[in-house]
């Protein structure tokens, strides 16, 4: 919900920021419980790296809760994996991959959403970025597993079926761990408020923030969440009074019209555009062209020998994993836009350089091996640039820009854009490499550059609560009618989120000093108990 300029909402937002903790590494240490929970939830990203295929989200995750949706996705994933492992022919492989894709597609939407809703705003970007770190770690591990199992029984006609059945079976392991562990994860406090389970929501906030339930910071964050829920619930009742009976038919019609509503107001249209276009440019940087067809690309760059090209491909996974770690640690300090813009321009430069080198030597690589290795190095630099920027940050933006009432639907649209463009890249890359040759790199370089320009046009979302996103997307101006703004203000006042003068003890204290004092007092009380 948007803070109202000069009103109670502004006071609540400023007070929460004043009491909030640090970002970056200190923030992750201070919020170690949330950090641990999101690390575990991000295992869904590890599963995704095994099976990058087209998929769709669960039907109504926002109704059932993210944890139930995670469990359902894990079950679907395991069923698909078993079908692949026991396959006796290509139809079973294709069918299994389709089912696995359904589970993976669901998790690609659910996990960043869950992480975003559980995280404090000062470290939300870092915690959502953990999913991308899990994805690239899975890419790294799965490549070297494939590389090793490729030699089971030899690489020729004597090769054992275990060479491909074993890696397919191993993907079940992280799925089982996630499925069992999800039983012990807490529900999102925002989802709990949405379901009327306010005491549970307050306890989750208290436990994950490691602060007492009566802490001022916990109280403000809880009331902001509740205020947004009340506003959106009342808005739904005003707009669709005929579908408030809770029946399946009414819920279906309400959900359908909520999807339609994403295009009905300027503020939500802006968010749809940001989510879908960001994911479009993420895929059209060419990252999955590199990941899917790296051995072929490196051979085309003059690296002779199957082993050499495979090892060069393995380095892509290593450098991308290492580059993602700084994003997890510092994205909340640096902001989303600087990271995305710098990454886009570095990737564009790498594509252009590789394209220029290829244009000069693509027909004479054997006599220009140094040029081939130089091009290979720039592919690795490209992977580094993607790893710290568009890999994690695109998902962060898509997961954090939506209001509670349409959050699941909004993120599902962003995830669908990612998978659709992923599918397109997988289909067009082979003929592009055959027909355009070096022009393939120029093509992806141009889209990387345009992606960087696009980021200049979107607002910075770092450090904002999920309830404050309305302001930066214009909901306080042309996006909301005047009576809606007045109703927002009234809800804040009704809940007690109003301005007051600071006590003498509060004056002169910095935001970090106040947060540190609250944490220290809570720890001392816990130790005495």
């Amino acid at each position: 919900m948007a803070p109202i300029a000069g009103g109670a909402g502004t006071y609540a937002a400023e007070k929460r920021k004043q009491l909030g903790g640090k970002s970056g590494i200190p923030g992750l240490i201070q919020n170690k419980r949330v950090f641990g929970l999101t690390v575990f939830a991000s295992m869904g990203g590890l599963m995704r790296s095994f099976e990058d295929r087209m998929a769709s989200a669960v039907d109504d995750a926002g109704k059932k809760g993210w944890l139930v949706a995670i469990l359902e996705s894990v079950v679907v994933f395991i069923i698909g994996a078993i079908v692949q492992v026991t396959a006796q022919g290509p139809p079973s492989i294709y069918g299994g991959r389709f089912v696995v894709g359904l589970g993976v597609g669901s998790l690609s939407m659910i996990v960043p959403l869950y992480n975003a809703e559980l995280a404090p705003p000062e470290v939300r970007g870092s915690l959502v970025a953990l999913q991308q770190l899990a994805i690239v770690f899975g890419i790294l591990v799965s490549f070297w597993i494939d590389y090793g199992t490729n030699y089971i029984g030899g690489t020729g006609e004597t090769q054992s079926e275990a060479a491909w059945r074993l890696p397919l079976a191993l993907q079940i392991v992280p799925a089982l761990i996630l499925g069992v562990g999800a039983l012990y994860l807490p529900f999102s406090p925002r989802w709990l408020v949405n379901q009327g389970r306010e005491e549970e929501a307050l306890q989750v906030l208290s436990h994950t923030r490691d602060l007492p339930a009566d802490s001022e910071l916990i109280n403000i964050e809880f009331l902001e969440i509740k205020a947004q829920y009340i506003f959106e619930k009342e808005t739904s009742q005003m707009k669709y009074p005929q579908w408030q009976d809770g029946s399946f038919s009414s819920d279906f019609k309400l959900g359908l019209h909520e999807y339609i509503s994403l295009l009905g107001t300027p503020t939500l249209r802006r968010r749809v555009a940001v989510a879908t276009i960001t994911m479009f440019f993420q895929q059209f940087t060419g990252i999955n062209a590199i990941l899917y067809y790296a051995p072929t690309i490196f051979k085309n760059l003059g690296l002779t020998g199957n082993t050499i090209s495979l090892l060069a491909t393995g380095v892509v996974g290593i450098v991308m994993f290492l580059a993602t770690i700084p994003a997890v640690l510092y994205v909340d300090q640096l902001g989303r836009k600087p990271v995305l813009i710098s990454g886009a321009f570095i990737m564009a430069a790498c594509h252009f350089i590789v394209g220029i080198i290829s244009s000069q030597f693509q027909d004479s690589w054997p006599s220009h091996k140094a040029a081939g290795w130089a091009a290979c190095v720039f592919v690795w630099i490209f992977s580094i640039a993607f790893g710290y920027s568009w890999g994690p940050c695109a998902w962060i933006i898509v997961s954090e820009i939506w209001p509670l009432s349409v959050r699941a639907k909004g993120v599902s649209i962003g995830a669908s854009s990612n998978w659709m463009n992923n599918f397109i890249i997988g289909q067009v890359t082979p003929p592009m490499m055959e027909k355009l040759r070096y022009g393939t790199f120029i093509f992806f370089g141009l889209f990387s550059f345009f992606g960087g320009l696009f980021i200049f046009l979107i607002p910075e979302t770092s450090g904002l609560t999920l309830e404050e996103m309305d302001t930066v997307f214009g909901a306080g101006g042309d996006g909301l009618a005047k009576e809606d703004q007045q109703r927002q203000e009234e809800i804040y006042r009704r809940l007690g989120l109003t301005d007051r003068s600071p006590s003498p003890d509060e004056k002169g204290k910095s935001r970090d000093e106040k947060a540190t004092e609250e944490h220290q007092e809570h720890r001392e009380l816990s130790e005495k108990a």
Side-chain angles (χ1 to χ4, degrees):
M1 176 176 156
I4 308 303
T10 299
Y11 160 75
E14 292 303 318
K15 189 64 177 176
R16 181 200 50 74
K17 290 178 181 178
Q18 187 182 67
L19 294 171
K22 302 175 182 178
S23 59
I25 296 177
L28 294 176
I29 295 173
Q30 182 173 306
N31 294 278
K32 55 184 179 294
R33 288 180 179 173
V34 182
F35 178 68
L37 293 170
T38 51
V39 166
F40 191 86
S42 295
M43 288 191 69
L46 178 62
M47 292 160 56
R48 170 184 166 179
S49 63
F50 281 98
E51 298 286 347
D52 278 329
R53 285 295 182 268
M54 177 62 63
S56 62
V58 292
D59 54 354
D60 193 2
K63 188 81 172 176
K64 296 175 293 190
W66 305 134
L67 302 187
V68 176
I70 288 175
L71 286 171
E72 290 180 348
S73 302
V74 166
V75 170
V76 171
F77 180 93
I78 291 175
I79 291 172
I82 291 173
V83 171
Q84 291 182 89
V85 173
T86 59
Q88 299 301 314
S92 298
I93 293 288
Y94 297 147
R97 291 183 77 84
F98 175 80
V99 175
V100 163
L102 294 176
V104 170
S106 300
L107 288 167
S108 71
M109 184 274 287
I110 296 165
V111 171
L113 245 179
Y114 176 77
N115 288 353
E117 292 193 0
L118 197 66
E122 60 268 18
V123 294
R124 187 178 59 244
S126 294
L127 297 182
V128 174
L130 284 171
Q131 190 204 25
Q132 180 65 20
L133 184 65
I135 290 171
V136 296
F137 179 70
I139 291 170
L140 172 62
V141 171
S142 61
F143 169 80
W144 291 107
I145 288 175
D146 290 347
Y147 182 76
T149 58
N150 184 57
Y151 292 95
I152 297 177
T155 57
E157 295 181 357
T158 61
Q159 187 179 60
S160 170
E161 285 190 357
W164 60 270
R165 291 190 190 273
L166 179 59
L168 289 175
L170 287 175
Q171 67 187 328
I172 298 175
V173 175
L176 286 173
I177 296 173
L178 177 61
V180 173
L183 298 174
Y184 301 94
L185 291 173
F187 283 101
S188 155
R190 290 171 172 81
W191 181 84
L192 289 170
V193 168
N194 203 16
Q195 302 303 309
R197 296 157 63 176
E198 296 183 3
E199 285 300 320
E200 289 181 66
L202 193 60
Q203 291 304 315
V204 169
L205 283 172
S206 174
H207 179 73
T208 55
R209 307 296 190 261
D210 198 19
L211 287 170
D214 59 358
S215 161
E216 187 174 9
L217 178 61
I218 296 297
N219 185 55
I220 289 176
E221 187 172 356
F222 170 74
L223 291 179
E224 282 188 311
I225 294 170
K226 186 175 178 180
Q228 185 193 6
Y229 166 69
I230 292 173
F231 172 78
E232 290 167 350
K233 183 68 174 177
E234 291 180 357
T235 300
S236 176
Q237 292 171 345
M238 290 176 58
K239 289 183 176 179
Y240 312 112
Q242 69 275 33
W243 298 322
Q244 301 297 320
D245 58 11
S247 66
F248 174 81
S249 174
S250 294
D251 286 344
F252 176 81
K253 293 175 182 177
L254 188 60
L256 178 62
H257 279 78
E258 284 174 348
Y259 265 113
I260 296 173
S261 74
L262 294 178
L263 300 176
T265 60
T267 180
L268 291 179
R269 282 201 298 270
R270 293 187 189 101
R271 299 181 213 212
V272 170
V274 168
T276 55
I277 298 175
T278 297
M279 283 307 186
F280 168 83
F281 280 119
Q282 188 211 47
Q283 289 301 310
F284 273 77
T285 62
I287 182 60
N288 280 320
I290 299 294
L291 293 178
Y292 292 163
Y293 304 106
T296 302
I297 290 172
F298 285 123
K299 284 181 181 179
N300 290 345
L301 293 177
L303 301 188
T304 57
N306 189 53
T307 300
I308 292 178
S309 64
L310 285 175
L311 289 174
T313 303
V315 174
V316 170
I318 293 172
V319 299
M320 192 158 60
F321 171 74
L322 295 176
T324 305
I325 295 175
V328 173
L329 299 178
Y330 300 112
V331 68
D332 285 304
Q333 292 174 307
L334 299 174
R336 319 303 188 229
K337 293 180 67 172
V339 172
L340 286 168
I341 291 169
S342 63
F345 291 159
I346 292 173
M347 288 188 291
C350 290
H351 276 306
F352 292 146
I353 292 171
V354 173
I356 292 171
I357 294 175
S358 298
S359 69
Q360 299 299 311
F361 305 112
Q362 62 185 8
D363 295 320
S364 58
W365 288 120
S367 57
H368 298 91
K369 292 185 178 180
W373 278 108
C376 179
V377 168
F378 278 103
V379 172
W380 293 336
I381 296 174
F382 162 86
S383 301
I384 292 172
F386 181 87
Y388 86 79
S389 61
W390 283 77
C393 284
W395 285 105
I396 293 171
I397 288 177
V398 168
S399 67
E400 70 184 0
I401 62 176
W402 303 99
L404 180 63
S405 60
V406 294
R407 187 165 295 148
K409 296 172 178 61
V411 175
S412 71
I413 289 177
S416 296
S417 174
N418 176 277
W419 288 107
M420 177 58 72
N421 288 293
N422 185 340
F423 175 78
I424 292 171
I425 292 298
Q427 296 302 306
V428 303
T429 298
M432 285 176 63
M433 290 191 299
E434 180 182 351
K435 303 295 184 182
L436 297 181
R437 302 180 73 182
Y438 74 85
T440 303
F441 295 100
I442 304 300
F443 174 86
F444 287 127
L446 287 172
F447 275 100
S448 298
F449 180 77
F450 292 146
L453 295 181
F454 169 73
I455 296 301
F456 279 108
L457 305 177
I458 71 174
E460 177 60 70
T461 57
S462 177
L464 301 176
T465 68
L466 298 178
E467 288 68 46
E468 292 167 8
M469 290 296 170
D470 284 345
T471 299
V472 298
F473 282 98
D478 62 330
L480 292 176
K482 183 177 179 180
E483 57 269 23
D484 285 347
Q485 297 182 32
Q486 294 172 345
R487 191 154 44 85
Q488 284 182 314
E489 177 77 1
E490 174 56 32
I491 291 170
Y492 266 112
R493 296 191 183 281
R494 195 191 315 166
L495 295 176
L497 283 168
T498 54
D499 196 2
R500 65 175 177 83
S501 300
S503 67
D505 290 337
E506 289 177 313
K507 291 181 178 179
K509 289 184 180 179
S510 69
R511 162 185 166 184
D512 292 341
E513 287 173 336
K514 292 173 183 176
T516 302
E517 283 183 8
E518 279 198 324
H519 278 270
Q520 185 61 35
E521 290 172 3
H522 180 47
R523 290 193 180 96
E524 289 175 358
L525 290 172
S526 300
E527 290 172 0
K528 289 178 182 179

